[in-house]
Amino acid sequence: MEQTLRDRYEVVIGLEVHAQLLTHTKAYSSDLNAYGSAPNTNVSAITLGHPGTLPVMNRKTIDFAIRLGLACGCQIAPAQHFARKNYFYPDLPKGYQITQDTTPICTGGQILIRTEDGAQKSIGITRIHMEEDAGKSIHDVDVYDTLVDLNRAGTPLLEIVSEPDLRSSTEAYNYLTEVRKLLRYLDICDGNMEEGSMRCDANVSVRLVGAKDFGTKVEVKNMNSIRNVQRAIEFEITRQIEALENGEPLTQETRAFDALKGITISMRTKEAANDYRYFPEPDLPPITVSTAQIAEIAKDMPALPNALFERYTKTYGLSAYDAYNITDQKGLALYYEELIGATKNYKAAANWLMGDIKSYLNEQGVDISAFPIAATRVAALIELIDQGKISNSIAAQRLFPALFESSETPLEIAERLNLIQSSDSTVIESFIATVIDQNPDEVSRYRSGEKQLIGFFMGQLMKVSGGKADPKAANGLLRQKLES
Ligand code: ADP
Ligand code: MG
């Protein structure tokens, strides 16, 4: 589509994210909440909603919801109740979903994202509420029949609904990245969209720039990665603008994304929408949340990415780039925290983490959690460099790889491998004597005024000493000898 046409429209996006919680048991029963069990093994009469069974609220679900609410600056509702959302579906054996309709546990609050030009933008959170997942209908395993696995039925979910504050598919991408980061930092959801433990419905509309009212929105489902959410939104933007330009009215509908074709397909229109007949859930007592309970949870909150970013850039003087990349993954941030617990050279710690350590992880195709070297040993290596005992390049080329091969301290390894650089002047003087002997022409050129040759002599000195002459000490001595 032509950019000039596209520029006449403003895009409006609001996202609904479902996060499966990492609780041990299900939302309203003691059935295991586990991914990958044999089909229909984590299923009791309660999950099936058999007559006479009673649900019991899992306290962990409430704690997790409060954690997320606090992280987003939401208000936490002191009194809440659950509702039944009634509908028929083969993977919903109860015939209804227990959800929070009129009293979501969290309201208000925001998530900070980066916009395309790198600025910060606050995206409003309308509500976060607790509910349960349905089971899974499997259409592609049996040739003739649809199979139903009810292990997932009753899994606790948080639904996070954003305000229609997002203005591009990139902003939506960045928002989801931040949501996933938060869920992972808080340890409440693994954020894995491929496995469906984090899912997103994207509400998309367009309007002429300057228009007062929002356009008709379309809800898009069925994206199994953040990238695919972005692709689906891009397709919708073009489709909607083209329809409007052709004078075709848009209808409020739900569409499904086809990742192979990169298109969205209509599933149902507003007129065909279910009437869920919500009513208060009679089998679960209302929930109250006390300020003491909130304070208790607040006390145990981990450091969150934005706070770490502030500390890394403001207190430790890291570049925004480094700070962003370190806090991007919780594991990296945790490792960095360990590093700076053991060395005050914050910048060097960041350089080692984002340089040699990250390269190692990339080469091995593993996560920082699988990195075998304790942060204290990397800190000790940094210490050796700072003390002038070993050069940066020898540390990277020889000492760092050797850390993987032995459990000795970096100092012990450096001594064993004879890597300690000498600031002992008699040792350095003998290296200098060799260099002067070997390069008579350069020596006379230096002495007749070509002072820039000092770089050449330092290079020769490092070669002769095997990188072990402390450059600071050597530089002074070398000049002395050359001038004399
Ligand atoms: P519904 O009842 O259809 O689920 P809601 O008003 O609850 O609609 O909004 C659901 C989501 O859609 C929210 O994330 C909201 O921000 C977003 N939304 C609402 N109106 C629009 C619009 N015109 N364009 C894009 N997103 C919208
Ligand atoms: Mg909706």
Side-chain angles (χ1 to χ4, degrees):
M1 172 174 299
E2 259 181 72
Q3 194 59 36
T4 47
L5 174 57
R6 177 137 176 185
D7 287 346
R8 289 176 48 217
Y9 286 88
E10 182 184 36
V11 176
V12 174
I13 303 162
L15 299 181
E16 296 164 275
V17 172
H18 283 92
Q20 267 181 5
L21 299 182
L22 292 168
T23 53
H24 183 58
T25 54
K26 290 189 182 176
Y28 316 111
S29 79
S30 59
D31 293 351
L32 270 191
N33 172 26
Y35 183 82
S37 304
N40 298 307
T41 50
N42 303 326
V43 176
S44 68
I46 301 175
T47 289
L48 298 175
H50 282 186
T53 58
L54 284 176
V56 176
M57 186 67 209
N58 184 340
R59 305 291 309 177
K60 263 269 146 60
T61 306
I62 302 173
D63 287 357
F64 283 8
I66 295 173
R67 281 173 89 112
L68 183 59
L70 290 175
C72 299
C74 300
Q75 286 88 283
I76 313 292
Q80 309 149 40
H81 64 267
F82 281 91
R84 283 192 186 178
K85 180 179 180 179
N86 300 282
Y87 62 102
F88 172 79
Y89 213 72
D91 57 24
L92 187 76
K94 292 207 295 266
Y96 58 86
Q97 179 193 30
I98 302 178
T99 180
Q100 293 191 303
D101 178 30
T102 53
T103 58
I105 184 163
C106 309
T107 52
Q110 70 283 316
I111 285 178
L112 287 178
I113 65 158
R114 249 152 248 280
T115 59
E116 271 147 285
D117 53 20
Q120 276 206 329
K121 177 173 172 181
S122 162
I123 305 301
I125 299 297
T126 314
R127 57 186 279 158
I128 301 172
H129 69 255
M130 302 183 278
E131 58 184 31
E132 62 178 325
D133 213 340
K136 218 181 207 159
S137 298
I138 302 158
H139 308 289
D140 56 1
V141 169
D142 189 287
V143 187
Y144 302 106
D145 298 312
T146 288
L147 307 178
V148 177
D149 178 6
L150 295 175
N151 281 346
R152 201 177 69 178
T155 295
L157 297 178
L158 292 182
E159 178 170 345
I160 307 151
V161 182
S162 87
E163 290 288 300
D165 287 346
L166 298 157
R167 290 292 173 271
S168 70
S169 67
T170 303
E171 285 189 15
Y173 184 99
N174 293 345
Y175 171 84
L176 288 175
T177 305
E178 292 304 323
V179 170
R180 183 171 65 184
K181 219 187 280 183
L182 264 186
L183 293 170
R184 288 176 173 168
Y185 267 80
L186 293 167
D187 258 332
I188 61 179
C189 167
D190 66 24
N192 192 333
M193 283 192 75
E194 285 74 17
E195 286 175 3
S197 48
M198 177 173 138
R199 303 192 287 272
C200 171
D201 300 340
N203 298 272
V204 186
S205 67
V206 298
R207 62 177 170 184
L208 282 171
V209 170
K212 196 160 75 28
D213 297 326
F214 285 150
T216 303
K217 80 171 157 101
V218 164
E219 186 182 48
V220 192
K221 292 178 175 299
N222 218 18
M223 293 82 79
N224 68 351
S225 67
I226 295 182
R227 174 80 188 110
N228 277 344
V229 173
Q230 184 171 23
R231 289 174 65 210
I233 292 172
E234 277 303 313
F235 178 83
E236 266 309 300
I237 294 170
T238 308
R239 188 188 69 82
Q240 292 183 18
I241 293 176
E242 276 171 0
L244 293 176
E245 286 293 313
N246 292 334
E248 298 159 14
L250 292 164
T251 44
Q252 193 171 330
E253 60 179 342
T254 302
R255 298 175 72 91
F257 182 61
D258 180 330
L260 282 181
K261 299 200 181 109
I263 62 172
T264 66
I265 300 151
S266 184
M267 288 168 77
R268 55 176 178 266
T269 58
K270 186 79 178 172
E271 292 72 50
N274 285 310
D275 180 356
Y276 295 118
R277 304 277 158 158
Y278 285 96
F279 64 83
E281 166 60 57
D283 288 342
L284 277 175
I287 294 169
T288 56
V289 177
S290 67
T291 44
Q293 193 182 345
I294 297 173
E296 191 66 28
I297 293 169
K299 215 177 63 200
D300 285 340
M301 289 281 277
L304 296 173
N306 282 325
L308 291 179
F309 180 90
E310 290 290 300
R311 174 147 58 87
Y312 293 174
T313 49
K314 302 230 165 90
T315 312
Y316 301 159
L318 300 194
S319 66
Y321 180 83
D322 278 349
Y324 186 80
N325 283 314
I326 293 173
T327 56
D328 188 43
Q329 282 178 44
K330 183 185 183 183
L332 287 178
L334 286 180
Y335 195 87
Y336 185 66
E337 290 289 297
E338 283 183 46
L339 274 177
I340 60 177
T343 172
K344 293 284 156 266
N345 194 339
Y346 309 123
K347 188 78 191 129
N351 288 342
W352 278 92
L353 181 57
M354 298 320 286
D356 295 73
I357 295 177
K358 201 79 191 287
S359 309
Y360 170 87
L361 299 176
N362 290 344
E363 274 162 28
Q364 303 288 314
V366 294
D367 209 55
I368 184 80
S369 59
F371 187 62
I373 312 293
T376 47
R377 297 180 81 215
V378 177
L381 174 148
I382 293 171
E383 203 71 16
L384 289 181
I385 300 168
D386 289 347
Q387 290 167 350
K389 292 213 167 92
I390 178 166
S391 71
N392 235 316
S393 58
I394 292 287
Q397 288 157 23
R398 306 278 312 275
L399 187 52
F400 181 71
L403 294 182
F404 295 83
E405 257 107 63
S406 107
S407 58
E408 296 163 283
T409 65
L411 178 60
E412 287 164 348
I413 299 175
E415 279 169 345
R416 175 165 56 76
L417 297 179
N418 202 17
L419 302 177
I420 300 291
Q421 63 190 5
S422 183
S423 49
D424 176 341
S425 55
T426 52
V427 178
I428 294 177
E429 273 169 22
S430 76
F431 291 136
I432 292 175
T434 311
V435 170
I436 287 179
D437 277 355
Q438 286 176 352
N439 302 283
D441 291 350
E442 284 79 3
V443 172
S444 55
R445 279 165 58 200
Y446 181 92
R447 286 184 175 151
S448 58
E450 287 187 52
K451 299 292 182 219
Q452 74 278 13
L453 281 169
I454 190 72
F456 164 79
F457 287 111
M458 279 301 288
Q460 293 300 307
L461 184 67
M462 284 302 152
K463 217 186 223 165
V464 169
S465 69
K468 282 166 42 196
D470 173 13
K472 259 185 258 133
N475 196 287
L477 276 175
L478 186 61
R479 281 175 199 277
Q480 251 178 46
K481 296 285 167 196
L482 285 169
E483 321 264 290
S484 65

